[in-house]
Amino acid sequence: MRIGLFGGTFNPVHAAHLRAAEEVRERCSLDRVEFVVSAVPPHKNASGVAPAEHRRHMLELALEDNPAFVVNTSEIERAGRSYSIDTILAAQARTSAAHFTFVLGADAFAEIESWKRFDEIFARCDVAVLSRPGVTIERPPIAVEKAFCYDSDRRVYVHASGNALAFVPITPLMISASDIRQRCADGRSIRYLVPRAVEEYIAAHGLYVGRAAAS
Ligand code: ATP
C-alpha cells in the first residue's frame, strides 16, 4: 500500500489542490492520498484561518466522490500545534506496512528549513514536491544537501536513508486559497475554483466575508 500525505491549511480546499493530488497519485503510483488538514498552521498568520471543523467539512465534501482521496484529521485531533514530522510518525505508527510519500507544493518546500525537525522528514519517507506557478525550486534544502545525491536514471534525489526526493511537474494552475478568500470578501464569484459543494458550504456558513478573512 502506497500512501501520500498531502498537508495543508485547506482554507478552503480548491481545484488546484485536487488536480495536484490526482497528478501526484498517478505519477507516484499512490493507492491513496490523505489530505492532512492542519489545526493551527505554525508558519501562517492564523487570523484569517477558518475553524478546523469548517475546513475539515469542506475537504470531506470535496473528496467524497473519489475513493482514493481521504481526509486525515490527526493534526486537528492532536492537542497543540501541528508539525509535519509528528504527523508522518503518527501515520507510520498507524499503518506500519505502508510506504509513505510526503507531498507538498514548491512554495511550501521553499520554506521547509524553518519547519521543526524538517531533516527527519527526508529520513522517514519519500518526499514529492509539486511545481507551482511562480516558484522555481528543484534542489534539496541547502542545510541538508550533503545528505543527497542525484540519481539521473530515476530523476530523483536520493537521501542517505535511501528515501527519494522528487520534483514533480504538474499542470500549472494559478489558483490559491488566499485569492479565493479575497473573492469571497469582495462578494465575487468563486464558481469552478472550488467544487460546487464547497462553494455552497462557504455561502451557507458565511465564511470569508469579513476583511480579516482575506488575509
Ligand atoms: P494560501 O493561498 O492561503 O497560502 P494555498 O492555496 O497555498 O493557501 P494550502 O492549503 O496552503 O493552500 O496548500 C496546501 C498544499 O497545496 C501546499 O503544499 C501548497 O504548496 C499546495 N498548493 C496549493 N495550491 C497549489 C497550486 N495552485 N499548485 C500547486 N500546489 C499548490
Side-chain angles (χ1 to χ4, degrees):
M1 168 73 106
R2 295 176 63 85
I3 300 176
L5 292 176
F6 185 27
T9 319
F10 302 115
N11 185 40
V13 59
H14 53 65
H17 292 134
L18 299 169
R19 184 62 206 169
E22 178 63 1
E23 292 193 19
V24 75
R25 183 196 62 72
E26 191 172 46
R27 160 75 194 262
C28 298
S29 306
L30 302 174
D31 299 296
R32 184 162 92 204
V33 178
E34 298 187 7
F35 289 63
V36 185
V37 55
S38 103
V40 183
H43 49 279
K44 288 207 176 188
N45 173 359
S47 65
V49 181
E53 279 310 304
H54 281 316
R55 292 180 288 115
R56 178 184 64 81
H57 210 105
M58 289 188 282
L59 267 173
E60 284 171 353
L61 292 170
L63 308 188
E64 69 186 353
D65 66 344
N66 187 339
F69 288 179
V70 296
V71 185
N72 176 319
T73 56
S74 66
E75 293 193 358
I76 56 178
E77 280 156 14
R78 191 185 310 137
R81 299 196 138 200
S82 28
Y83 293 100
S84 297
I85 183 62
D86 298 327
T87 304
I88 292 163
L89 295 174
Q92 290 178 328
R94 181 202 66 202
T95 318
S96 57
H99 178 100
F100 283 90
T101 301
F102 183 67
V103 179
L104 75 174
D107 58 313
F109 183 74
E111 296 181 355
I112 200 168
E113 287 181 73
S114 67
W115 296 12
K116 183 183 152 196
R117 290 165 35 219
F118 77 94
D119 51 326
E120 267 188 61
I121 294 175
F122 301 110
R124 279 291 174 171
C125 60
D126 289 341
V127 175
V129 181
L130 310 175
S131 60
R132 188 163 184 182
V135 190
T136 324
I137 184 160
E138 296 219 339
R139 290 191 62 83
I142 292 168
V144 293
E145 67 180 349
K146 288 198 175 70
F148 290 89
C149 59
Y150 189 68
D151 181 334
S152 52
D153 291 338
R154 291 167 63 206
R155 286 195 273 177
V156 297
Y157 287 88
V158 180
H159 186 256
S161 61
N163 293 325
L165 164 62
F167 292 89
V168 180
I170 59 167
T171 304
L173 294 171
M174 286 272 287
I175 299 173
S176 70
S178 41
D179 173 69
I180 290 165
R181 297 194 300 277
Q182 185 65 58
R183 286 172 195 269
C184 292
D186 294 345
R188 288 185 292 151
S189 165
I190 57 167
R191 192 162 187 189
Y192 306 121
L193 293 173
V194 298
R196 185 72 169 162
V198 172
E199 182 192 354
E200 287 170 358
Y201 186 94
I202 290 171
H205 292 83
L207 301 183
Y208 312 124
V209 288
R211 209 156 170 268
S215 62

